[in-house]
Amino acid sequence: MSIQHKIELPGWIEYFLIPMLNLLMAFLLTGLVVYYAGENPLDVFTSLVQGAFGTVEGTGYTLYYTTNFIFTGLAVAMAFHCGLFNIGGEGQTYVAGLGVLLVCLWLNDFSLWVVFPAAVLTAAIFGGLWAFIPGWLQAKRGSHVVITTIMFNYLATALINYLLVDVLIAPNQQSPQSRAIASHLELPLMQNILGFFGFQTGYSPLNISFFLALFCCFIFWLLIWKMKFGYELRVMNQGEKVAKYAGIPPAGIIISAMVISGMFAGLMAINSIMGEHHRLIIEFTNGAGFVGIAVALMGRNHPIGIIMAALLFGALYQGGSEMAFDFPSLSRDMIIVIQGLIVLFCGALENIFKPSLAKLVLKSHVARVKTE
């Protein structure tokens, strides 16, 4: 057994210092790539930060992307706590978008404050149902959830593409997209809310679903650390035999974890469909389901960490667009390189600093005991 498994690291090391060191290594390597591409790394990173937070509009876009990544990060983290790897967030969000659209079209004559709760519930149900089948297959038939969620991403894409091309396409429309929802069902933008209080800002799609994402973080915390279900998830994470010994039915926990995971992913559709696009379009998820994996890894599966990691990736998305304008020699793919390095250091190489820090903590503990 390695030393990091014998010593319990303080929370500030486990949840703050180690992710920061991993992030620093990712940026250092990215800086080398930028340097060999012929650009000054400091200028590039300054442009990235300026694009993400330098203006009110840029900050609004950053928080809009952050909202998406909070939802998908919570989805991945929920499955992680059960020892599962749900990489089907893309498909679950995609199908949930269909549910949001149908509710908005069906309840077209009702006010936003009647439709909004119904849309939230429907998004959660559609996302949860799409995750139920991989969870059931894993629990009852032994099919690995990684494989089935990948397949269900493809199935969701094929289903929505078919519906948008042949069934839901708007009249007299060439591109595959549904007709728009009623204007009174569009979510209030933060710029309008701030304008009501006298703060004038530029346009950004940031809307009230940002608060829904923060509320979901609170629900996640309650589920994992304050309820019996969270305890059962953590026991299940130690292995199926441990769960059975503790009297916990593994199949029920696996299915429940996947359904709740899918519900969190599905809620992202609220932000995109009712907050920005106002219709169902092809690939509105824009890869957020996969980014959620990196967000959960870097956030150490804790809601506070997920919020911080989602903010970082939101800044990378928004700042990366500005960076591509300022440095034409660097394509937006550079952001994907940064994301890949963050995933590498926060996932596969997350223990690169842990043994050394564990030894330091052990030496400090021994020295304190001798002094006492």
Side-chain angles (χ1 to χ4, degrees):
M1 183 181 291
S2 58
I3 191 169
Q4 65 267 29
H5 291 134
K6 296 177 182 177
I7 302 172
E8 185 174 348
L9 293 174
W12 68 273
I13 293 179
E14 182 75 30
Y15 298 111
F16 178 76
L17 183 59
I18 290 178
M20 286 300 103
L21 289 173
N22 292 330
L23 184 62
L24 180 63
M25 287 298 297
F27 275 108
L28 283 175
L29 282 181
T30 306
L32 288 176
V33 175
V34 169
Y35 177 77
Y36 281 107
E39 299 290 352
N40 186 327
L42 286 179
D43 292 340
V44 171
F45 286 128
T46 300
S47 170
L48 194 150
V49 174
Q50 181 70 21
F53 299 108
T55 62
V56 178
E57 294 88 345
T59 305
Y61 272 96
T62 296
L63 292 177
Y64 169 77
Y65 295 129
T66 300
T67 305
N68 287 339
F69 300 149
I70 288 176
F71 286 126
T72 55
L74 291 175
V76 177
M78 175 59 68
F80 271 157
H81 277 288
C82 190
L84 302 171
F85 197 9
N86 176 21
I87 56 176
E90 280 283 300
Q92 291 145 22
T93 305
Y94 219 24
V95 173
L98 173 65
V100 173
L101 175 75
L102 294 178
V103 165
C104 290
L105 295 180
W106 181 41
L107 303 177
N108 185 57
D109 296 330
F110 289 85
S111 74
L112 172 65
W113 305 115
V114 173
V115 177
F116 181 63
V120 169
L121 184 62
T122 306
I125 291 174
F126 272 60
L129 285 176
W130 202 249
F132 166 80
I133 304 173
W136 185 87
L137 289 172
Q138 163 105 22
K140 299 293 187 181
R141 294 291 181 267
S143 304
H144 203 290
V145 77
V146 170
I147 305 300
T148 50
T149 49
I150 290 174
M151 291 176 60
F152 269 68
N153 283 340
Y154 287 111
L155 289 174
T157 302
L159 172 66
I160 301 300
N161 287 357
Y162 163 73
L163 291 175
L164 285 179
V165 171
D166 292 332
V167 181
L168 296 173
I169 189 169
N172 304 318
Q173 176 69 44
Q174 293 297 320
S175 62
Q177 60 183 24
S178 73
R179 64 185 174 93
I181 64 176
S183 58
H184 69 276
L185 298 182
E186 298 174 4
L187 292 183
L189 297 176
M190 291 300 292
Q191 66 183 62
N192 297 332
I193 296 174
L194 292 174
F196 179 79
F197 292 102
F199 299 97
Q200 299 302 320
T201 63
Y203 172 79
S204 77
L206 180 64
N207 57 75
I208 60 170
S209 62
F210 177 69
F211 300 111
L212 176 64
L214 297 181
F215 179 70
C216 286
C217 290
F218 176 67
I219 296 297
F220 182 93
W221 175 78
L222 282 180
L223 277 174
I224 299 298
W225 284 283
K226 295 297 177 183
M227 297 182 70
K228 179 186 173 186
F229 175 71
Y231 167 76
E232 293 175 341
L233 276 185
R234 294 197 298 276
V235 172
M236 183 64 200
N237 196 18
Q238 302 303 313
E240 194 169 316
K241 291 182 179 178
V242 178
K244 286 181 179 177
Y245 186 77
I248 299 170
I253 293 298
I254 289 172
I255 295 173
S256 300
M258 283 300 295
V259 168
I260 297 174
S261 175
M263 292 171 77
F264 280 127
L267 290 176
M268 192 203 110
I270 295 291
N271 189 34
S272 296
I273 301 298
M274 297 183 71
E276 184 189 16
H277 302 299
H278 308 137
R279 55 174 57 81
L280 187 61
I281 64 173
I282 294 287
E283 295 183 350
F284 72 87
T285 54
N286 198 24
F290 298 117
V291 176
I293 299 171
V295 169
L297 284 171
M298 188 175 176
R300 316 295 284 181
N301 301 320
H302 191 282
I304 300 295
I306 287 172
I307 292 172
M308 300 306 294
L311 181 62
L312 169 68
F313 279 88
L316 287 176
Y317 258 59
Q318 171 57 22
S321 301
E322 299 295 329
M323 183 193 75
F325 279 114
D326 294 340
F327 299 92
S329 61
L330 298 176
S331 70
R332 205 176 182 285
D333 292 339
M334 183 59 65
I335 297 305
I336 297 177
V337 172
I338 298 175
Q339 291 175 357
L341 289 171
I342 291 174
V343 172
L344 177 67
F345 280 98
C346 295
L349 300 178
E350 70 165 346
N351 290 328
I352 192 170
F353 297 110
K354 213 169 184 177
S356 301
L357 292 171
K359 288 178 182 176
L360 287 175
V361 170
L362 178 61
K363 285 181 180 178
S364 173
H365 178 71
V366 171
R368 189 168 59 250
V369 170
K370 286 182 178 178
T371 304
E372 295 173 352

PDB file of all heavy atoms in Angstrom, residues 294-319:
ATOM      1  N   ALA A 294     -13.738  16.419 -17.094  1.00  0.00           N
ATOM      2  CA  ALA A 294     -12.583  17.169 -16.591  1.00  0.00           C
ATOM      3  C   ALA A 294     -12.960  18.035 -15.401  1.00  0.00           C
ATOM      4  O   ALA A 294     -12.185  18.170 -14.440  1.00  0.00           O
ATOM      5  CB  ALA A 294     -12.011  18.034 -17.715  1.00  0.00           C
ATOM      6  N   VAL A 295     -14.153  18.625 -15.443  1.00  0.00           N
ATOM      7  CA  VAL A 295     -14.599  19.478 -14.339  1.00  0.00           C
ATOM      8  C   VAL A 295     -14.724  18.662 -13.053  1.00  0.00           C
ATOM      9  O   VAL A 295     -14.280  19.090 -11.976  1.00  0.00           O
ATOM     10  CB  VAL A 295     -15.943  20.145 -14.698  1.00  0.00           C
ATOM     11  CG1 VAL A 295     -16.562  20.814 -13.479  1.00  0.00           C
ATOM     12  CG2 VAL A 295     -15.743  21.165 -15.809  1.00  0.00           C
ATOM     13  N   ALA A 296     -15.321  17.475 -13.162  1.00  0.00           N
ATOM     14  CA  ALA A 296     -15.479  16.629 -11.975  1.00  0.00           C
ATOM     15  C   ALA A 296     -14.130  16.160 -11.446  1.00  0.00           C
ATOM     16  O   ALA A 296     -13.897  16.121 -10.229  1.00  0.00           O
ATOM     17  CB  ALA A 296     -16.369  15.433 -12.307  1.00  0.00           C
ATOM     18  N   LEU A 297     -13.217  15.798 -12.352  1.00  0.00           N
ATOM     19  CA  LEU A 297     -11.887  15.347 -11.924  1.00  0.00           C
ATOM     20  C   LEU A 297     -11.147  16.464 -11.210  1.00  0.00           C
ATOM     21  O   LEU A 297     -10.582  16.273 -10.129  1.00  0.00           O
ATOM     22  CB  LEU A 297     -11.076  14.873 -13.132  1.00  0.00           C
ATOM     23  CG  LEU A 297     -11.431  13.501 -13.713  1.00  0.00           C
ATOM     24  CD1 LEU A 297     -10.685  13.289 -15.018  1.00  0.00           C
ATOM     25  CD2 LEU A 297     -11.081  12.403 -12.721  1.00  0.00           C
ATOM     26  N   MET A 298     -11.137  17.636 -11.819  1.00  0.00           N
ATOM     27  CA  MET A 298     -10.398  18.738 -11.221  1.00  0.00           C
ATOM     28  C   MET A 298     -11.079  19.237  -9.952  1.00  0.00           C
ATOM     29  O   MET A 298     -10.412  19.654  -9.011  1.00  0.00           O
ATOM     30  CB  MET A 298     -10.283  19.880 -12.228  1.00  0.00           C
ATOM     31  CG  MET A 298      -9.361  20.957 -11.721  1.00  0.00           C
ATOM     32  SD  MET A 298      -9.058  22.253 -12.871  1.00  0.00           S
ATOM     33  CE  MET A 298      -8.044  23.310 -11.814  1.00  0.00           C
ATOM     34  N   GLY A 299     -12.403  19.198  -9.914  1.00  0.00           N
ATOM     35  CA  GLY A 299     -13.138  19.649  -8.733  1.00  0.00           C
ATOM     36  C   GLY A 299     -13.184  18.626  -7.629  1.00  0.00           C
ATOM     37  O   GLY A 299     -13.849  18.860  -6.615  1.00  0.00           O
ATOM     38  N   ARG A 300     -12.514  17.496  -7.786  1.00  0.00           N
ATOM     39  CA  ARG A 300     -12.433  16.431  -6.790  1.00  0.00           C
ATOM     40  C   ARG A 300     -13.823  15.957  -6.362  1.00  0.00           C
ATOM     41  O   ARG A 300     -14.038  15.564  -5.216  1.00  0.00           O
ATOM     42  CB  ARG A 300     -11.642  16.893  -5.558  1.00  0.00           C
ATOM     43  CG  ARG A 300     -10.370  17.658  -5.871  1.00  0.00           C
ATOM     44  CD  ARG A 300      -9.343  16.834  -6.577  1.00  0.00           C
ATOM     45  NE  ARG A 300      -8.657  15.903  -5.674  1.00  0.00           N
ATOM     46  CZ  ARG A 300      -7.700  15.094  -6.062  1.00  0.00           C
ATOM     47  NH1 ARG A 300      -7.336  15.089  -7.346  1.00  0.00           N
ATOM     48  NH2 ARG A 300      -7.115  14.298  -5.207  1.00  0.00           N
ATOM     49  N   ASN A 301     -14.782  16.050  -7.276  1.00  0.00           N
ATOM     50  CA  ASN A 301     -16.146  15.554  -7.041  1.00  0.00           C
ATOM     51  C   ASN A 301     -16.849  16.251  -5.885  1.00  0.00           C
ATOM     52  O   ASN A 301     -17.757  15.687  -5.264  1.00  0.00           O
ATOM     53  CB  ASN A 301     -16.131  14.035  -6.811  1.00  0.00           C
ATOM     54  CG  ASN A 301     -15.549  13.279  -7.973  1.00  0.00           C
ATOM     55  OD1 ASN A 301     -15.806  13.624  -9.128  1.00  0.00           O
ATOM     56  ND2 ASN A 301     -14.749  12.275  -7.694  1.00  0.00           N
ATOM     57  N   HIS A 302     -16.413  17.442  -5.559  1.00  0.00           N
ATOM     58  CA  HIS A 302     -17.048  18.238  -4.506  1.00  0.00           C
ATOM     59  C   HIS A 302     -17.709  19.455  -5.160  1.00  0.00           C
ATOM     60  O   HIS A 302     -17.147  20.050  -6.082  1.00  0.00           O
ATOM     61  CB  HIS A 302     -16.001  18.691  -3.484  1.00  0.00           C
ATOM     62  CG  HIS A 302     -16.593  19.295  -2.245  1.00  0.00           C
ATOM     63  ND1 HIS A 302     -17.082  20.576  -2.209  1.00  0.00           N
ATOM     64  CD2 HIS A 302     -16.800  18.780  -1.000  1.00  0.00           C
ATOM     65  CE1 HIS A 302     -17.554  20.837  -0.997  1.00  0.00           C
ATOM     66  NE2 HIS A 302     -17.395  19.756  -0.250  1.00  0.00           N
ATOM     67  N   PRO A 303     -18.905  19.853  -4.703  1.00  0.00           N
ATOM     68  CA  PRO A 303     -19.608  20.953  -5.394  1.00  0.00           C
ATOM     69  C   PRO A 303     -18.818  22.255  -5.438  1.00  0.00           C
ATOM     70  O   PRO A 303     -18.873  22.961  -6.463  1.00  0.00           O
ATOM     71  CB  PRO A 303     -20.912  21.099  -4.599  1.00  0.00           C
ATOM     72  CG  PRO A 303     -20.751  20.289  -3.371  1.00  0.00           C
ATOM     73  CD  PRO A 303     -19.741  19.244  -3.651  1.00  0.00           C
ATOM     74  N   ILE A 304     -18.102  22.577  -4.358  1.00  0.00           N
ATOM     75  CA  ILE A 304     -17.297  23.810  -4.399  1.00  0.00           C
ATOM     76  C   ILE A 304     -16.201  23.689  -5.459  1.00  0.00           C
ATOM     77  O   ILE A 304     -15.977  24.611  -6.261  1.00  0.00           O
ATOM     78  CB  ILE A 304     -16.659  24.091  -3.026  1.00  0.00           C
ATOM     79  CG1 ILE A 304     -17.742  24.254  -1.951  1.00  0.00           C
ATOM     80  CG2 ILE A 304     -15.782  25.345  -3.103  1.00  0.00           C
ATOM     81  CD1 ILE A 304     -18.623  25.445  -2.143  1.00  0.00           C
ATOM     82  N   GLY A 305     -15.529  22.549  -5.464  1.00  0.00           N
ATOM     83  CA  GLY A 305     -14.488  22.329  -6.463  1.00  0.00           C
ATOM     84  C   GLY A 305     -15.048  22.332  -7.873  1.00  0.00           C
ATOM     85  O   GLY A 305     -14.413  22.833  -8.803  1.00  0.00           O
ATOM     86  N   ILE A 306     -16.256  21.784  -8.038  1.00  0.00           N
ATOM     87  CA  ILE A 306     -16.881  21.742  -9.368  1.00  0.00           C
ATOM     88  C   ILE A 306     -17.208  23.156  -9.848  1.00  0.00           C
ATOM     89  O   ILE A 306     -17.018  23.480 -11.024  1.00  0.00           O
ATOM     90  CB  ILE A 306     -18.135  20.846  -9.322  1.00  0.00           C
ATOM     91  CG1 ILE A 306     -17.705  19.384  -9.216  1.00  0.00           C
ATOM     92  CG2 ILE A 306     -19.011  21.066 -10.549  1.00  0.00           C
ATOM     93  CD1 ILE A 306     -18.835  18.418  -8.964  1.00  0.00           C
ATOM     94  N   ILE A 307     -17.682  24.010  -8.943  1.00  0.00           N
ATOM     95  CA  ILE A 307     -17.965  25.399  -9.336  1.00  0.00           C
ATOM     96  C   ILE A 307     -16.677  26.086  -9.800  1.00  0.00           C
ATOM     97  O   ILE A 307     -16.655  26.755 -10.850  1.00  0.00           O
ATOM     98  CB  ILE A 307     -18.588  26.170  -8.156  1.00  0.00           C
ATOM     99  CG1 ILE A 307     -19.994  25.629  -7.854  1.00  0.00           C
ATOM    100  CG2 ILE A 307     -18.668  27.666  -8.468  1.00  0.00           C
ATOM    101  CD1 ILE A 307     -20.608  26.207  -6.595  1.00  0.00           C
ATOM    102  N   MET A 308     -15.603  25.908  -9.031  1.00  0.00           N
ATOM    103  CA  MET A 308     -14.331  26.553  -9.386  1.00  0.00           C
ATOM    104  C   MET A 308     -13.782  25.993 -10.704  1.00  0.00           C
ATOM    105  O   MET A 308     -13.299  26.741 -11.563  1.00  0.00           O
ATOM    106  CB  MET A 308     -13.311  26.360  -8.266  1.00  0.00           C
ATOM    107  CG  MET A 308     -13.730  26.939  -6.921  1.00  0.00           C
ATOM    108  SD  MET A 308     -14.179  28.678  -7.005  1.00  0.00           S
ATOM    109  CE  MET A 308     -12.610  29.407  -7.431  1.00  0.00           C
ATOM    110  N   ALA A 309     -13.851  24.673 -10.860  1.00  0.00           N
ATOM    111  CA  ALA A 309     -13.350  24.061 -12.096  1.00  0.00           C
ATOM    112  C   ALA A 309     -14.205  24.473 -13.294  1.00  0.00           C
ATOM    113  O   ALA A 309     -13.684  24.724 -14.389  1.00  0.00           O
ATOM    114  CB  ALA A 309     -13.337  22.538 -11.954  1.00  0.00           C
ATOM    115  N   ALA A 310     -15.530  24.545 -13.085  1.00  0.00           N
ATOM    116  CA  ALA A 310     -16.415  24.973 -14.182  1.00  0.00           C
ATOM    117  C   ALA A 310     -16.111  26.411 -14.587  1.00  0.00           C
ATOM    118  O   ALA A 310     -16.141  26.755 -15.775  1.00  0.00           O
ATOM    119  CB  ALA A 310     -17.878  24.837 -13.747  1.00  0.00           C
ATOM    120  N   LEU A 311     -15.797  27.253 -13.591  1.00  0.00           N
ATOM    121  CA  LEU A 311     -15.431  28.641 -13.905  1.00  0.00           C
ATOM    122  C   LEU A 311     -14.148  28.689 -14.726  1.00  0.00           C
ATOM    123  O   LEU A 311     -14.032  29.473 -15.683  1.00  0.00           O
ATOM    124  CB  LEU A 311     -15.261  29.429 -12.607  1.00  0.00           C
ATOM    125  CG  LEU A 311     -14.906  30.908 -12.740  1.00  0.00           C
ATOM    126  CD1 LEU A 311     -16.019  31.658 -13.471  1.00  0.00           C
ATOM    127  CD2 LEU A 311     -14.669  31.528 -11.359  1.00  0.00           C
ATOM    128  N   LEU A 312     -13.189  27.839 -14.369  1.00  0.00           N
ATOM    129  CA  LEU A 312     -11.940  27.791 -15.136  1.00  0.00           C
ATOM    130  C   LEU A 312     -12.201  27.384 -16.582  1.00  0.00           C
ATOM    131  O   LEU A 312     -11.716  28.039 -17.517  1.00  0.00           O
ATOM    132  CB  LEU A 312     -10.976  26.795 -14.480  1.00  0.00           C
ATOM    133  CG  LEU A 312      -9.742  26.458 -15.316  1.00  0.00           C
ATOM    134  CD1 LEU A 312      -8.817  27.662 -15.444  1.00  0.00           C
ATOM    135  CD2 LEU A 312      -8.983  25.278 -14.714  1.00  0.00           C
ATOM    136  N   PHE A 313     -13.002  26.333 -16.777  1.00  0.00           N
ATOM    137  CA  PHE A 313     -13.254  25.880 -18.141  1.00  0.00           C
ATOM    138  C   PHE A 313     -14.138  26.882 -18.897  1.00  0.00           C
ATOM    139  O   PHE A 313     -14.001  27.035 -20.113  1.00  0.00           O
ATOM    140  CB  PHE A 313     -13.892  24.488 -18.125  1.00  0.00           C
ATOM    141  CG  PHE A 313     -12.883  23.393 -17.936  1.00  0.00           C
ATOM    142  CD1 PHE A 313     -12.508  22.982 -16.673  1.00  0.00           C
ATOM    143  CD2 PHE A 313     -12.276  22.792 -19.020  1.00  0.00           C
ATOM    144  CE1 PHE A 313     -11.562  21.979 -16.477  1.00  0.00           C
ATOM    145  CE2 PHE A 313     -11.325  21.799 -18.856  1.00  0.00           C
ATOM    146  CZ  PHE A 313     -10.973  21.395 -17.581  1.00  0.00           C
ATOM    147  N   GLY A 314     -15.032  27.556 -18.162  1.00  0.00           N
ATOM    148  CA  GLY A 314     -15.806  28.607 -18.820  1.00  0.00           C
ATOM    149  C   GLY A 314     -14.895  29.725 -19.304  1.00  0.00           C
ATOM    150  O   GLY A 314     -15.077  30.260 -20.416  1.00  0.00           O
ATOM    151  N   ALA A 315     -13.899  30.068 -18.477  1.00  0.00           N
ATOM    152  CA  ALA A 315     -12.941  31.106 -18.877  1.00  0.00           C
ATOM    153  C   ALA A 315     -12.103  30.651 -20.063  1.00  0.00           C
ATOM    154  O   ALA A 315     -11.788  31.443 -20.962  1.00  0.00           O
ATOM    155  CB  ALA A 315     -12.047  31.453 -17.688  1.00  0.00           C
ATOM    156  N   LEU A 316     -11.740  29.364 -20.076  1.00  0.00           N
ATOM    157  CA  LEU A 316     -10.963  28.846 -21.209  1.00  0.00           C
ATOM    158  C   LEU A 316     -11.782  28.924 -22.497  1.00  0.00           C
ATOM    159  O   LEU A 316     -11.251  29.267 -23.566  1.00  0.00           O
ATOM    160  CB  LEU A 316     -10.554  27.403 -20.939  1.00  0.00           C
ATOM    161  CG  LEU A 316      -9.451  27.181 -19.895  1.00  0.00           C
ATOM    162  CD1 LEU A 316      -9.236  25.695 -19.666  1.00  0.00           C
ATOM    163  CD2 LEU A 316      -8.160  27.843 -20.322  1.00  0.00           C
ATOM    164  N   TYR A 317     -13.078  28.596 -22.425  1.00  0.00           N
ATOM    165  CA  TYR A 317     -13.931  28.653 -23.613  1.00  0.00           C
ATOM    166  C   TYR A 317     -14.039  30.086 -24.136  1.00  0.00           C
ATOM    167  O   TYR A 317     -13.841  30.350 -25.319  1.00  0.00           O
ATOM    168  CB  TYR A 317     -15.318  28.108 -23.273  1.00  0.00           C
ATOM    169  CG  TYR A 317     -15.552  26.704 -23.760  1.00  0.00           C
ATOM    170  CD1 TYR A 317     -14.724  25.664 -23.339  1.00  0.00           C
ATOM    171  CD2 TYR A 317     -16.590  26.396 -24.632  1.00  0.00           C
ATOM    172  CE1 TYR A 317     -14.929  24.377 -23.774  1.00  0.00           C
ATOM    173  CE2 TYR A 317     -16.799  25.103 -25.071  1.00  0.00           C
ATOM    174  CZ  TYR A 317     -15.964  24.098 -24.635  1.00  0.00           C
ATOM    175  OH  TYR A 317     -16.172  22.814 -25.073  1.00  0.00           O
ATOM    176  N   GLN A 318     -14.398  31.020 -23.234  1.00  0.00           N
ATOM    177  CA  GLN A 318     -14.601  32.398 -23.663  1.00  0.00           C
ATOM    178  C   GLN A 318     -13.277  33.066 -24.011  1.00  0.00           C
ATOM    179  O   GLN A 318     -13.134  33.710 -25.055  1.00  0.00           O
ATOM    180  CB  GLN A 318     -15.328  33.185 -22.558  1.00  0.00           C
ATOM    181  CG  GLN A 318     -15.408  34.673 -22.780  1.00  0.00           C
ATOM    182  CD  GLN A 318     -16.090  35.046 -24.094  1.00  0.00           C
ATOM    183  OE1 GLN A 318     -16.854  34.262 -24.647  1.00  0.00           O
ATOM    184  NE2 GLN A 318     -15.805  36.231 -24.597  1.00  0.00           N
ATOM    185  N   GLY A 319     -12.283  32.917 -23.095  1.00  0.00           N
ATOM    186  CA  GLY A 319     -10.981  33.539 -23.350  1.00  0.00           C
ATOM    187  C   GLY A 319     -10.298  32.957 -24.572  1.00  0.00           C
ATOM    188  O   GLY A 319      -9.572  33.658 -25.274  1.00  0.00           O
TER     189      GLY A 319
END
